[in-house]
Amino acid sequence: IRIPLNELRFIEVLARGHDMRLIKRSDGQVHSSYLFQNGNADCFVGALLHVHVVRRTRENRNCFEILDSDEEKLQKTFAELQIEEIKNSGHWLTNMMRKNIDFLAKVPEYVLHPPLSMETSPMSPIRNDEYEVLNGEKTENDTEKHDNNEEKAEIDEGPSRILPERKIIQRGSSLTEKQWREFHSEDGRVSDPQKIKEIIFRGGIEPQLRSEVWKYLLNYDIWEESSVERQERRRKKTSEYYQMKAQWLSMSTVQERNFSGYRDRKCQIEKDVKRTDRTQEFFAGEDNPNLGVLQDILMTYVMYNFDLGYVQGMSDLLAPILAIMQNEADSFWSFVGFMDLVYTNFDIDQAGMKRQLGELNRLLEFSNPKLFNYLKEHGSENMYFCFRWLLVWFKREFSADDICELWECLWTGLPCPNYHLFMCLAILDEQVKIFIERNYEFNEILKHVNELSMKIDLKQTLQVAEAIYEQIKASDCLNDEIRVIIGEEPLNQSIDTPETEFDDNFDEDIVTEPTREELELRQKKLDIACEQSMYFSFL
């Protein structure tokens, strides 16, 4: 039995792995059902998960969504992407699974409700062009493609667009202790935060100041608050943090067993924490207590934002903050501020990542048509090789010290909210010659980009990124799409602009701020519950 996956929307596993149903994409009805006598339907679906053909839905852990080809590629995140394996395999397994599932070859089971079309229609033969050659031999089409590539001695740079000359940018000095104190009033308020951000953007922050200044950049501390107000706010936030931490710490085994969403997140956090920044002194060694704090903060964030919960990569974003703050509650709220900036990176449908990759594509087409057209001719214009950079904000590309300087620069929001895209442009700008001279295809580009890790000069990259930004901004031929991406007002006010914030008015209608009376009643119930819990614990 062969079923094209593009006809299916979901796969459901029922009856503890004994029954599997295929749901049609067209009308949501059951396509067919299959009985697994040994109850191993989950093993079959597990194989599909492994090659990124399906993904588990958040609403129902026994339901799996069929991915299209683009989503399939995006599922290979920075931690899962095995470059050599992909390169050597030529994607044959993924392509094969995407085209058809040959159930009889893998699963000797029984069809319960075969559709009429499957009974009456003869099986279509597999066309040679549906699959790549598994033994590595070139087909006639491959040879023609290779010959055509050789004929293209020069890359078409597309329609002529004269950009202003690129400026030479110089980095400034770091924000010093003396400068920082000069911005403080007698009561502890911080004046002229815009000027402070400009200094940080130009040169970063002296290391000993980071723990204090980062709290402002990540909206944990408020620039306008006095020292007294700031301390009171931190006290309340610390209390709130430990209340949320107590929620998951007090969860019983039965609760956890019946709460699959929580259990899955907890399992993923435990796996990721063990391999996060273990080469850094702060997290190195066996039984390092800092790993426990890292795990506790991530678990508490699950309780703080259960809709998002935990997604692979978030531990990478928290680790440098904890290493700098070295305070659990302060690290948590600073991490919350960071996640407010990048939460769309972890959308379950990866819409946020796709949007950023699309914007990067537009910027590259505008600023570097030579590279853009080369990538387009080699099937790489989707920019998926930049996925890891954007997902965790270049965490895997720079040293611990460099990533602190880069992040604090990006946290200023200067010169535009999408400045991290210009970091991508700057890195790629240095690789144009290599890509073209070596005639790299997508796999080679992806491999080369990943091998740049820890080899990129941060200072030079920041200078080039700002130079490219200034060059684009000064252009006389900016269209509204580019203007919006770089943070400028569109000339045509009717243009559709991407939403910068998630509109959750619907949620606000459901969850409203409790009244004073409701808060008092809730606290009374909590006090009674705590007293009863302690009383029966000591009986």
Side-chain angles (χ1 to χ4, degrees):
I1 300 171
R2 184 175 289 113
I3 304 172
L5 283 186
N6 58 12
E7 296 180 4
L8 304 178
R9 180 62 175 168
F10 297 106
I11 297 178
E12 292 182 344
V13 177
L14 308 171
R16 298 192 176 187
H18 287 277
D19 187 17
M20 183 178 74
R21 294 193 302 183
L22 306 184
I23 308 300
K24 290 188 287 186
R25 185 178 295 273
S26 58
D27 56 10
Q29 299 300 310
V30 176
H31 179 286
S32 52
S33 297
Y34 302 87
L35 174 64
F36 286 71
Q37 292 181 329
N38 298 321
N40 56 353
D42 55 338
C43 296
F44 177 77
V45 176
L48 301 184
L49 282 168
H50 181 69
V51 293
H52 306 285
V53 172
V54 299
R55 68 176 168 211
R56 191 189 303 271
T57 62
R58 182 170 289 182
E59 296 79 10
N60 183 352
R61 66 189 307 268
N62 295 318
C63 182
F64 301 82
E65 182 181 8
I66 306 291
L67 298 176
D68 61 32
S69 58
D70 282 343
E71 288 174 326
E72 217 175 287
K73 291 181 181 178
L74 282 176
Q75 284 298 309
K76 295 183 178 294
T77 62
F78 67 96
E80 298 169 320
L81 203 51
Q82 302 297 325
I83 304 303
E84 289 298 332
E85 179 182 334
I86 295 171
K87 183 178 178 182
N88 293 334
S89 68
H91 298 296
W92 71 269
L93 179 59
T94 305
N95 285 341
M96 179 180 68
M97 296 297 287
R98 183 172 65 245
K99 298 278 186 180
N100 299 280
I101 303 178
D102 192 341
F103 287 100
L104 294 182
K106 295 289 185 180
V107 189
E109 306 292 353
Y110 298 88
V111 181
L112 296 182
H113 308 292
L116 181 61
S117 60
M118 294 176 64
E119 292 179 338
T120 58
S121 301
M123 184 179 296
S124 302
I126 302 175
R127 302 193 313 271
N128 290 333
D129 61 354
E130 284 190 339
Y131 303 114
E132 298 179 14
V133 182
L134 303 188
N135 60 10
E137 296 178 1
K138 292 184 179 180
T139 64
E140 183 178 347
N141 291 335
D142 293 332
T143 304
E144 291 178 2
K145 179 180 177 181
H146 178 71
D147 293 340
N148 290 336
N149 286 338
E150 288 185 344
E151 291 175 2
K152 296 178 181 178
E154 295 183 2
I155 302 300
D156 179 17
E157 297 193 19
S160 60
R161 179 186 295 115
I162 301 176
L163 292 176
E165 184 178 352
R166 189 178 294 182
K167 298 178 181 179
I168 298 177
I169 303 293
Q170 297 296 330
R171 295 282 292 162
S173 302
S174 302
L175 178 69
T176 65
E177 178 94 24
K178 181 180 178 182
Q179 287 175 307
W180 175 242
R181 298 309 166 199
E182 287 175 350
F183 285 104
H184 284 68
S185 64
E186 291 184 1
D187 63 354
R189 302 179 196 275
V190 182
S191 62
D192 204 350
Q194 187 65 23
K195 179 63 176 178
I196 295 173
K197 291 180 181 180
E198 289 174 2
I199 296 173
I200 296 171
F201 173 73
R202 292 289 174 200
I205 305 170
E206 288 189 345
Q208 70 274 13
L209 278 177
R210 282 181 173 143
S211 178
E212 185 175 354
V213 181
W214 280 16
K215 294 182 179 71
Y216 289 91
L217 294 177
L218 293 170
N219 297 318
Y220 176 34
D221 284 346
I222 308 300
W223 302 95
E224 297 80 12
E225 286 184 342
S226 67
S227 298
V228 175
E229 292 170 332
R230 186 162 56 252
Q231 291 303 319
E232 177 61 17
R233 188 169 185 275
R234 287 185 187 178
R235 185 192 66 79
K236 290 181 179 179
K237 286 291 187 181
T238 300
S239 175
E240 183 180 350
Y241 169 76
Y242 284 106
Q243 286 179 6
M244 290 186 290
K245 183 176 180 179
Q247 291 173 356
W248 64 267
L249 284 174
S250 61
M251 191 173 294
S252 68
T253 304
V254 174
Q255 283 179 299
E256 187 172 335
R257 186 181 298 123
N258 295 329
F259 197 170
S260 62
Y262 169 84
R263 190 171 63 248
D264 292 344
R265 288 164 170 82
K266 180 182 178 182
C267 181
Q268 188 63 56
I269 288 172
E270 290 173 349
K271 290 179 181 178
D272 289 354
V273 163
K274 293 176 182 178
R275 56 195 180 198
T276 300
D277 283 4
R278 297 309 302 275
T279 59
Q280 301 299 319
E281 182 179 357
F282 190 76
F283 296 106
E286 297 297 325
D287 301 321
N288 189 323
N290 295 324
L291 294 174
V293 179
L294 184 70
Q295 180 171 325
D296 288 355
I297 294 174
L298 293 171
M299 287 297 302
T300 306
Y301 187 81
V302 170
M303 306 308 296
Y304 171 80
N305 185 356
F306 201 85
D307 284 344
L308 177 59
Y310 176 81
V311 181
Q312 190 176 21
M314 289 167 58
S315 62
D316 281 272
L317 301 183
L318 171 59
I321 295 176
L322 178 58
I324 292 295
M325 302 287 182
Q326 298 191 16
N327 176 283
E328 187 172 345
D330 290 349
S331 297
F332 172 81
W333 290 112
S334 297
F335 175 65
V336 167
F338 194 2
M339 286 301 303
D340 287 344
L341 295 175
V342 299
Y343 70 95
T344 60
N345 288 9
F346 303 98
D347 290 339
I348 190 169
D349 60 357
Q350 296 170 332
M353 290 298 299
K354 292 175 182 177
R355 174 183 56 78
Q356 292 176 76
L357 291 169
E359 291 173 343
L360 179 58
N361 173 282
R362 300 282 81 77
L363 289 173
L364 184 67
E365 181 181 15
F366 187 88
S367 64
N368 196 335
K370 181 177 182 179
L371 176 58
F372 174 82
N373 284 300
Y374 176 84
L375 295 177
K376 188 174 183 180
E377 290 171 5
H378 291 73
S380 304
E381 75 275 14
N382 52 36
M383 310 301 291
Y384 288 169
F385 50 86
C386 299
F387 186 90
R388 185 175 77 179
W389 295 352
L390 298 175
L391 182 69
V392 290
W393 271 26
F394 309 94
K395 169 70 185 317
R396 299 294 181 90
E397 319 314 318
F398 295 99
S399 67
D401 291 337
D402 279 354
I403 204 64
C404 288
E405 182 177 348
L406 173 59
W407 281 2
E408 60 201 18
C409 169
L410 296 176
W411 289 337
T412 65
L414 300 175
C416 70
N418 282 322
Y419 192 65
H420 60 296
L421 300 181
F422 289 89
M423 285 293 297
C424 296
L425 294 177
I427 297 173
L428 293 175
D429 191 73
E430 297 294 318
Q431 308 303 318
V432 177
K433 187 176 181 181
I434 294 176
F435 291 169
I436 295 176
E437 286 186 353
R438 299 181 185 179
N439 198 31
Y440 278 169
E441 299 289 341
F442 175 80
N443 285 348
E444 286 79 18
I445 293 174
L446 183 59
K447 183 176 183 293
H448 178 79
V449 163
N450 282 353
E451 289 175 348
L452 293 176
S453 178
M454 303 300 164
K455 300 176 184 177
I456 305 171
D457 186 314
L458 176 63
K459 181 178 179 180
Q460 179 182 350
T461 305
L462 286 168
Q463 290 171 338
V464 174
E466 186 176 357
I468 295 175
Y469 169 81
E470 295 293 344
Q471 184 184 36
I472 293 178
K473 184 178 179 181
S475 173
D476 293 330
C477 49
L478 281 182
N479 58 48
D480 276 351
E481 184 179 23
I482 299 297
R483 293 180 67 87
V484 170
I485 294 173
I486 68 173
E488 297 291 307
E489 288 293 327
L491 298 178
N492 178 11
Q493 295 299 324
S494 65
I495 187 173
D496 292 332
T497 57
E499 296 184 8
T500 56
E501 294 185 1
F502 177 66
D503 182 11
D504 59 352
N505 289 332
F506 178 77
D507 292 337
E508 290 179 358
D509 293 338
I510 298 176
V511 182
T512 58
E513 286 293 327
T515 64
R516 181 176 179 180
E517 290 76 14
E518 289 172 334
L519 284 173
E520 291 176 351
L521 179 60
R522 182 187 300 176
Q523 186 62 46
K524 182 178 180 180
K525 290 181 177 180
L526 178 61
D527 291 342
I528 293 173
C530 290
E531 289 177 4
Q532 292 295 315
S533 176
M534 292 180 64
Y535 173 76
F536 285 101
S537 296
F538 289 99
L539 279 179

